[in-house]
Every structure is written in C-alpha cells, then in structure tokens.
C-alpha cells in the first residue's frame, strides 16, 4: 500500500486502528535499521546575528528517507523513536554527524560557526549523557565552544534538579545549552533563573503572530527583556517575514532563524552559501 503511494509521498494510513498499530510497528522496525542503512541525513539551518546579518551558527535538523514512504517529517518519527528508546542511538549518530560536519567546514578554511544539536528528553535522561556528548565532540576534534545543545522547555521541566545538574556539567566542559521552544511549556520565571543555560529560543508560534496580535507581541517583548536581564542570548525561530524581523530587531533579539533567510539545507548547499555570502541584509 505504502509503495503505491510513491517514494516521496509519505501518508498516514487512516483506514483503521489496526492499520495504525501495524504502521507504528512498521516504522519502529524500520527506525531500528535506519542508522545502519544510512537512511538519515542532517539538514542545517543558518542562525543569523540580527545586528549585522552574519551567519553565526547552524541548527542541525534530522531527515529520514524511508525506502518506501519517502521523506518522513521529524514530527512523525521522533515521538516513536523517543517512546521506543531508539532515539538514543539515532541521537548519537546526529551528534557525531553534526560535530564532524562542523569540523570539516572549519578544516576547509571557513570561519568557525556554532553548531546546535537537538537532544530529546530520553537522551537527556541517560546516566552518561555528558560523557557521551563530550566523547563524541572530542572524537570529532571540535572545540567545545562550537557546540550547543538544544533541550526543550518541557524536557527541562520534567526533572528540574536533574536538568540543573546536567546543564552544569555540560557547562563545565565548555559546551553551551539552549532552551528550545520557549513559551509553550510550563515556563516559570523562577525555573529560568535556576537554569545555567546560555540561550533561549522563542518558539515560532509566538514569532508567527508577533505583528498581528498584541498578546504575542507583548509576550515576545517580555521574553526578550527577561532573557537579557538573566544574561541569556535570545534566538527567534520561525522568522518568515520582514515585519517580524524588524520587530525583533527593534526589541533587541540577538539571533534569528527562519525561512526568511533560509530553509534547512543539505551540507553541500550550506557550504556553497558560506562561500558565496557570509552576510544577509537586515534592514
Ligand atoms: P525545533 O528544534 O524547534 O526545530 C525548528 C523547526 O522549525 C524545524 O522543523 C525547522 O525546519 C522549522 N522551521 C525553521 N524555520 C521555519 C520557518 O520560518 N517557518 C516554519 N513554519 N518552520 C520553520 P523540523 O526540521 O521539521 O523539525 C521539527 C522538530 O523535530 C524540531 O523542532 C525538533 O524538536 C525535532 N528534531 C529535529 N531534528 C532532531 C534531532 O536530530 N533530534 C531530536 N531529538 N529532535 C529533532
Ligand atoms: Mg531545536
Ligand atoms: Mg525550536
Ligand atoms: Mg519549535
């Protein structure tokens, strides 16, 4: 059935529960083999310094080319990988690939950039997560200051004491941590104060309505000013329009990421972009 739908046309079975269960198991089984079958690819999305338009980093984003279903979006398979625990080995592959790619760019003579890698809750809660991260980074030969890990606000809040401990250990290794999807979880200002993170990423749901709706506008403004009071760098994700960009610049947001600048792209295209231009026009 899935084959008939064509390689690039991933679709959910909707006929019955049975088929949903079957499909889930099927995805789980193919996920288990996807790393060794080399079906994963990382795409990279530029992060831009809002003051001067320079590319200062990239977020690594996972893509899965399923042999039958074609391109499966992360939101369709990451929750399954997470529940089944397969995310732990996939996540190590992601980290290794991202660190090696970043090192490769530096070795080819490009200016060093920050690489941001998403960590799932399951990975974050592994006993040896800090050793694992630092070992992979070290094997890739990448400086710790060029690696940033993104954990979501909801991951961070699952066990605040554990989060503070792990983030502190990462910090001691010189690795940065950012709080992703900020604003949609259980944000409490009191938690934020206790977390030794470096960066806060405003969720794209707030950025989307920044200029149309005064509530989102007010939230974005106060998140930026709060973050700065706590000495955090603020990144806005999902920036799609000039209006959103100018608003964020006006409010002093530090970095932006979104389709206005670039979609996530394969490594070769990023390299081309870096060789052609190192700067976007902001105003
Ligand atoms: P995220 O970490 O919040 O990543 C940002 C998402 O927003 C990405 O979706 C990106 O493609 C998308 N995006 C970027 N700019 C724009 C824009 O201007 N407009 C809109 N509408 N979207 C934009 P993507 O690549 O589909 O990833 C979705 C989520 O899957 C990520 O959200 C992250 O939570 C998860 N994910 C992706 N790669 C990994 C990974 O390697 N490991 C883990 N644990 N999770 C990952
Ligand atoms: Mg992220
Ligand atoms: Mg995010
Ligand atoms: Mg998000």
């Amino acid at each position: 059935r899935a084959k008939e739908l064509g390689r690039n046309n991933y679709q959910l079975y909707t006929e019955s529960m049975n088929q949903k269960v079957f499909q889930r198991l099927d995805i789980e089984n193919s996920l288990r083999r996807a790393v060794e079958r080399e079906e994963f690819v990382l795409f990279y999305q530029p992060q831009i310094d809002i003051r001067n338009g320079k590319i200062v980093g990239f977020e690594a984003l996972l893509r899965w080319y399923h042999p039958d279903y074609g391109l499966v979006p992360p939101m369709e398979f990451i929750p399954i990988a997470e529940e089944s625990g397969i995310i732990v080995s996939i996540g190590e592959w992601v980290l290794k690939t991202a660190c090696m790619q970043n090192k490769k760019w530096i070795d080819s003579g490009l200016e060093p950039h920050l690489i941001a890698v998403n960590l799932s809750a399951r990975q974050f809660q592994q006993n040896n997560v800090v050793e694992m991260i630092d070992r992979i980074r070290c094997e890739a030969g990448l400086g710790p200051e060029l690696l940033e890990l993104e954990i979501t606000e909801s991951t961070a809040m699952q066990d605040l004491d554990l989060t503070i401990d792990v983030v502190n250990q990462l910090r001691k290794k010189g690795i940065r941590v950012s709080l992703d999807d900020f604003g949609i979880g259980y944000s409490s200002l009191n938690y934020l104060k206790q977390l030794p993170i470096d960066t806060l990423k405003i969720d794209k749901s707030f950025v989307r309505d920044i200029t149309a709706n005064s509530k989102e506008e007010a939230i974005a403004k106060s998140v930026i000013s709060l973050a700065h009071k706590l000495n955090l760098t603020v990144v806005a994700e999902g920036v799609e329009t000039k209006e959103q960009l100018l608003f964020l610049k006006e409010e002093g947001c530090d970095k932006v990421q979104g389709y206005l600048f670039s979609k996530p792209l394969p490594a070769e295209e990023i390299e081309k972009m870096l060789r052609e231009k190192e700067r976007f026009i902001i105003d």
Side-chain angles (χ1 to χ4, degrees):
R1 186 75 223 277
K3 273 190 179 129
E4 288 166 29
L5 293 172
R7 293 181 66 87
N8 298 310
N9 214 341
Y10 175 76
Q11 249 173 15
L12 286 173
Y13 290 97
T14 46
E15 277 96 298
S16 70
M17 268 318 268
N18 267 346
Q19 275 177 325
K20 281 207 169 148
V21 171
F22 174 76
Q23 190 208 23
R24 204 209 124 103
L25 286 174
D26 187 37
I27 290 199
E28 209 177 297
N29 284 329
S30 20
L31 267 177
R32 283 187 205 285
R33 291 183 218 105
V35 169
E36 60 191 68
R37 290 188 179 176
E38 299 180 32
E39 292 167 1
F40 289 122
V41 178
L42 288 187
F43 276 29
Y44 300 87
Q45 187 177 38
Q47 297 184 330
I48 289 110
D49 183 331
I50 208 166
R51 291 164 311 169
N52 56 22
K54 277 188 92 172
I55 298 173
V56 285
F58 300 98
E59 179 175 6
L61 293 155
L62 186 58
R63 299 292 178 260
W64 182 23
Y65 292 97
H66 188 285
D68 300 327
Y69 302 148
L71 183 64
V72 188
M75 293 328 277
E76 301 284 353
F77 71 86
I78 284 176
I80 299 176
E82 174 93 21
E83 279 173 51
S84 56
I86 312 170
I87 194 71
V88 175
S89 55
I90 297 175
E92 289 189 20
W93 179 87
V94 169
L95 193 63
K96 181 177 162 196
T97 307
C99 287
M100 285 171 58
Q101 182 60 66
N102 202 23
K103 180 65 164 56
K104 222 159 129 189
W105 281 327
I106 297 167
D107 288 348
S108 76
L110 293 163
E111 231 178 273
H113 297 88
L114 196 67
I115 189 86
V117 176
N118 292 285
L119 267 197
S120 79
R122 188 79 170 242
Q123 272 182 292
F124 190 74
Q125 287 150 7
Q126 299 281 305
N127 298 322
N128 58 353
V129 63
V130 177
E131 290 70 32
M132 180 276 286
I133 292 166
D134 203 50
R135 174 179 53 80
I136 291 178
R137 175 204 64 76
C138 200
E139 283 168 6
L142 185 73
E145 73 287 356
L146 296 176
L147 177 62
E148 183 164 80
L149 296 160
E150 296 194 359
I151 57 167
T152 65
E153 187 187 12
S154 65
T155 297
M157 294 316 157
Q158 280 179 29
D159 182 344
L160 190 62
D161 290 334
L162 174 87
T163 302
I164 293 171
D165 182 43
V166 173
V167 173
N168 266 321
Q169 289 184 53
L170 286 168
R171 261 248 167 130
K172 277 192 202 133
K173 303 257 185 211
I175 297 168
R176 306 181 200 211
V177 179
S178 79
L179 203 56
D180 202 356
D181 300 346
F182 187 78
I184 58 174
Y186 320 84
S187 16
S188 153
L189 311 183
N190 203 35
Y191 289 149
L192 205 55
K193 180 182 78 189
Q194 294 180 60
L195 279 179
I197 50 167
D198 304 274
T199 307
L200 205 148
K201 293 188 80 174
I202 306 178
D203 191 69
K204 54 179 175 291
S205 59
F206 295 101
V207 174
R208 188 180 48 222
D209 297 322
I210 238 168
T211 44
N213 182 311
S214 63
K215 270 188 201 154
E216 275 75 12
E217 190 181 310
I219 291 170
K221 273 189 190 179
S222 50
V223 167
I224 294 170
S225 94
L226 165 79
H228 283 159
K229 281 183 190 125
L230 295 170
N231 263 320
L232 303 175
T233 298
V234 186
V235 181
E237 63 175 24
V239 178
E240 294 183 354
T241 70
K242 202 95 201 174
E243 290 70 37
Q244 293 164 344
L245 174 65
L246 293 180
F247 172 89
L248 291 162
K249 194 180 180 195
E250 189 77 21
E251 294 307 320
C253 179
D254 303 288
K255 298 184 203 172
V256 277
Q257 187 185 336
Y259 298 164
L260 178 64
F261 303 97
S262 170
K263 294 177 299 185
L265 295 170
E268 312 79 67
E269 286 180 55
I270 291 293
E271 185 164 341
K272 233 176 91 198
M273 180 190 290
L274 288 174
R275 299 213 182 272
E276 280 163 10
K277 67 158 162 204
E278 184 67 15
R279 205 177 277 268
F280 287 90
I281 294 161
I282 292 288
D283 34 45

